Amino acid sequence: RLNVGTNVRLIISNSIGKAITTITNEKEVSGMYIKSISAKELNLTSGIYFITIETANFKETKKLIIQ
């Protein structure tokens, strides 16, 4: 949930931390957002990836496993 409008980046990286694709890099207004992604559309093969969400004052990375 965004409490204030800010630029939001959503990035997928491979297992060694190299950015593979940027899902979004846009200014968003405050509110709640849901983003669906498709491994097939992004040409992601099975393996371990990391997805990072980053704003002006927040950054969080989670493991993403594709089977």
Side-chain angles (χ1 to χ4, degrees), residues 6-49:
T6 187
N7 194 63
V8 176
R9 288 180 43 175
L10 188 59
I11 303 161
I12 295 181
S13 303
N14 64 15
S15 60
I16 61 171
K18 180 180 178 189
I20 295 172
T21 188
T22 299
I23 304 298
T24 190
N25 186 12
E26 299 177 347
K27 173 106 174 153
E28 302 287 357
V29 297
S30 62
M32 182 174 264
Y33 294 85
I34 297 173
K35 185 75 171 178
S36 296
I37 60 172
S38 165
K40 185 176 181 179
E41 289 177 11
L42 296 174
N43 295 319
L44 299 178
T45 58
S46 60
I48 297 174
Y49 298 88

Side-chain angles (χ1 to χ4, degrees), residues 48-64:
I48 297 174
Y49 298 88
F50 294 92
I51 188 161
T52 302
I53 185 166
E54 185 176 344
T55 67
N57 54 7
F58 176 82
K59 183 176 181 179
E60 185 171 16
T61 302
K62 298 281 187 171
K63 187 187 294 186
L64 176 67

